[in-house]
Short mmCIF file of all heavy atoms in Angstrom, two decimals:
data_model
loop_
_atom_site.label_atom_id
_atom_site.label_comp_id
_atom_site.label_asym_id
_atom_site.label_seq_id
_atom_site.Cartn_x
_atom_site.Cartn_y
_atom_site.Cartn_z
N VAL A 759 5.10 16.65 16.35
CA VAL A 759 3.69 16.95 16.53
C VAL A 759 2.91 15.63 16.45
O VAL A 759 3.11 14.85 15.51
CB VAL A 759 3.18 17.93 15.45
CG1 VAL A 759 1.68 18.17 15.63
CG2 VAL A 759 3.94 19.24 15.52
N GLU A 760 2.06 15.37 17.42
CA GLU A 760 1.23 14.17 17.38
C GLU A 760 0.05 14.43 16.45
O GLU A 760 -0.75 15.33 16.70
CB GLU A 760 0.74 13.81 18.78
CG GLU A 760 -0.04 12.51 18.83
CD GLU A 760 -0.50 12.14 20.23
OE1 GLU A 760 -0.10 12.85 21.19
OE2 GLU A 760 -1.26 11.16 20.36
N ILE A 761 -0.04 13.66 15.39
CA ILE A 761 -1.09 13.85 14.38
C ILE A 761 -1.87 12.56 14.24
O ILE A 761 -1.30 11.51 13.92
CB ILE A 761 -0.48 14.28 13.03
CG1 ILE A 761 0.35 15.56 13.20
CG2 ILE A 761 -1.59 14.50 11.99
CD1 ILE A 761 1.08 16.00 11.95
N ASP A 762 -3.16 12.62 14.48
CA ASP A 762 -3.99 11.42 14.50
C ASP A 762 -3.93 10.65 13.19
O ASP A 762 -3.91 9.41 13.18
CB ASP A 762 -5.44 11.77 14.82
CG ASP A 762 -5.62 12.29 16.24
OD1 ASP A 762 -4.73 12.05 17.07
OD2 ASP A 762 -6.64 12.95 16.50
N ASP A 763 -3.93 11.37 12.06
CA ASP A 763 -3.92 10.70 10.76
C ASP A 763 -2.64 9.90 10.55
O ASP A 763 -2.64 8.89 9.86
CB ASP A 763 -4.02 11.73 9.62
CG ASP A 763 -5.43 12.26 9.43
OD1 ASP A 763 -6.39 11.60 9.89
OD2 ASP A 763 -5.57 13.34 8.82
N GLY A 764 -1.54 10.37 11.10
CA GLY A 764 -0.23 9.80 10.82
C GLY A 764 0.53 10.72 9.89
O GLY A 764 0.45 11.94 10.00
N THR A 765 1.24 10.16 8.95
CA THR A 765 1.97 10.98 8.00
C THR A 765 2.10 10.27 6.66
O THR A 765 1.68 9.12 6.50
CB THR A 765 3.37 11.35 8.54
OG1 THR A 765 3.92 12.39 7.72
CG2 THR A 765 4.31 10.16 8.56
N TYR A 766 2.67 11.00 5.71
CA TYR A 766 2.81 10.49 4.35
C TYR A 766 4.20 9.89 4.18
O TYR A 766 5.20 10.58 4.31
CB TYR A 766 2.59 11.62 3.34
CG TYR A 766 2.51 11.15 1.90
CD1 TYR A 766 1.36 10.53 1.43
CD2 TYR A 766 3.57 11.32 1.02
CE1 TYR A 766 1.27 10.09 0.11
CE2 TYR A 766 3.50 10.89 -0.30
CZ TYR A 766 2.33 10.27 -0.74
OH TYR A 766 2.25 9.83 -2.04
N TYR A 767 4.23 8.62 3.91
CA TYR A 767 5.48 7.90 3.67
C TYR A 767 5.69 7.72 2.16
O TYR A 767 4.73 7.61 1.39
CB TYR A 767 5.44 6.50 4.26
CG TYR A 767 5.66 6.38 5.74
CD1 TYR A 767 4.68 6.81 6.65
CD2 TYR A 767 6.82 5.81 6.25
CE1 TYR A 767 4.87 6.67 8.02
CE2 TYR A 767 7.02 5.66 7.62
CZ TYR A 767 6.04 6.09 8.50
OH TYR A 767 6.23 5.94 9.85
N ILE A 768 6.94 7.67 1.79
CA ILE A 768 7.28 7.17 0.46
C ILE A 768 8.28 6.04 0.64
O ILE A 768 9.01 6.00 1.62
CB ILE A 768 7.88 8.25 -0.46
CG1 ILE A 768 9.21 8.78 0.10
CG2 ILE A 768 6.89 9.38 -0.70
CD1 ILE A 768 9.98 9.66 -0.87
N ALA A 769 8.25 5.13 -0.27
CA ALA A 769 9.22 4.03 -0.26
C ALA A 769 9.94 4.01 -1.59
O ALA A 769 9.34 4.27 -2.64
CB ALA A 769 8.52 2.70 -0.01
N GLU A 770 11.22 3.75 -1.53
CA GLU A 770 12.00 3.52 -2.74
C GLU A 770 12.02 2.02 -3.00
O GLU A 770 12.15 1.23 -2.06
CB GLU A 770 13.42 4.05 -2.58
CG GLU A 770 13.49 5.55 -2.35
CD GLU A 770 14.90 6.06 -2.19
OE1 GLU A 770 15.84 5.25 -2.32
OE2 GLU A 770 15.07 7.27 -1.93
N TYR A 771 11.90 1.65 -4.25
CA TYR A 771 11.79 0.24 -4.61
C TYR A 771 12.90 -0.16 -5.58
O TYR A 771 13.61 0.68 -6.13
CB TYR A 771 10.43 -0.04 -5.28
CG TYR A 771 9.25 0.06 -4.36
CD1 TYR A 771 8.74 1.29 -3.95
CD2 TYR A 771 8.62 -1.09 -3.87
CE1 TYR A 771 7.65 1.38 -3.11
CE2 TYR A 771 7.53 -1.02 -3.03
CZ TYR A 771 7.05 0.23 -2.65
OH TYR A 771 5.97 0.30 -1.80
N LEU A 772 13.01 -1.45 -5.76
CA LEU A 772 13.99 -2.04 -6.67
C LEU A 772 13.27 -2.98 -7.62
O LEU A 772 12.50 -3.85 -7.20
CB LEU A 772 15.03 -2.83 -5.86
CG LEU A 772 16.00 -3.75 -6.60
CD1 LEU A 772 16.97 -2.91 -7.45
CD2 LEU A 772 16.78 -4.61 -5.61
N GLY A 773 13.49 -2.79 -8.91
CA GLY A 773 12.89 -3.66 -9.91
C GLY A 773 13.87 -3.97 -11.03
O GLY A 773 14.84 -3.23 -11.25
N ILE A 774 13.63 -5.06 -11.72
CA ILE A 774 14.47 -5.48 -12.85
C ILE A 774 13.72 -5.16 -14.14
O ILE A 774 12.57 -5.59 -14.32
CB ILE A 774 14.79 -6.98 -12.77
CG1 ILE A 774 15.58 -7.28 -11.50
CG2 ILE A 774 15.55 -7.44 -14.02
CD1 ILE A 774 15.79 -8.76 -11.25
N LEU A 775 14.36 -4.42 -15.02
CA LEU A 775 13.74 -4.03 -16.29
C LEU A 775 13.94 -5.11 -17.35
O LEU A 775 15.01 -5.74 -17.42
CB LEU A 775 14.35 -2.73 -16.79
CG LEU A 775 14.08 -1.47 -15.94
CD1 LEU A 775 14.97 -0.32 -16.40
CD2 LEU A 775 12.61 -1.09 -16.02
N ASN A 776 12.91 -5.31 -18.15
CA ASN A 776 13.10 -6.11 -19.35
C ASN A 776 13.99 -5.34 -20.32
O ASN A 776 13.90 -4.11 -20.41
CB ASN A 776 11.75 -6.41 -20.02
CG ASN A 776 10.93 -7.41 -19.23
OD1 ASN A 776 11.47 -8.40 -18.72
ND2 ASN A 776 9.64 -7.17 -19.11
N LYS A 777 14.84 -6.06 -21.03
CA LYS A 777 15.78 -5.40 -21.94
C LYS A 777 15.97 -6.26 -23.18
O LYS A 777 16.38 -7.42 -23.09
CB LYS A 777 17.11 -5.17 -21.23
CG LYS A 777 18.18 -4.48 -22.06
CD LYS A 777 19.43 -4.26 -21.21
CE LYS A 777 20.54 -3.60 -21.97
NZ LYS A 777 21.73 -3.39 -21.14
N GLU A 778 15.67 -5.66 -24.30
CA GLU A 778 15.77 -6.40 -25.56
C GLU A 778 17.21 -6.80 -25.84
O GLU A 778 18.14 -5.99 -25.69
CB GLU A 778 15.25 -5.52 -26.71
CG GLU A 778 15.18 -6.25 -28.05
CD GLU A 778 14.56 -5.40 -29.15
OE1 GLU A 778 14.08 -4.29 -28.83
OE2 GLU A 778 14.56 -5.85 -30.30
N GLY A 779 17.40 -8.06 -26.19
CA GLY A 779 18.72 -8.54 -26.56
C GLY A 779 19.57 -9.04 -25.41
O GLY A 779 20.68 -9.54 -25.64
N ARG A 780 19.09 -8.90 -24.18
CA ARG A 780 19.87 -9.39 -23.04
C ARG A 780 19.77 -10.91 -22.97
O ARG A 780 18.70 -11.49 -23.05
CB ARG A 780 19.33 -8.76 -21.74
CG ARG A 780 20.18 -9.05 -20.51
CD ARG A 780 19.66 -8.24 -19.31
NE ARG A 780 18.31 -8.62 -18.95
CZ ARG A 780 17.45 -7.83 -18.29
NH1 ARG A 780 17.82 -6.61 -17.94
NH2 ARG A 780 16.24 -8.26 -17.99
N THR A 781 20.92 -11.56 -22.83
CA THR A 781 20.93 -13.02 -22.83
C THR A 781 20.47 -13.56 -21.48
O THR A 781 20.39 -12.82 -20.48
CB THR A 781 22.34 -13.55 -23.12
OG1 THR A 781 23.20 -13.22 -22.01
CG2 THR A 781 22.90 -12.95 -24.40
#
Side-chain angles (χ1 to χ4, degrees):
V759 177
E760 185 179 353
I761 303 176
D762 293 341
D763 283 341
T765 193
Y766 189 76
Y767 282 72
I768 63 170
E770 298 180 3
Y771 291 77
L772 169 68
I774 298 172
L775 294 168
N776 288 319
K777 180 177 179 180
E778 186 175 354
R780 188 173 63 204
T781 67

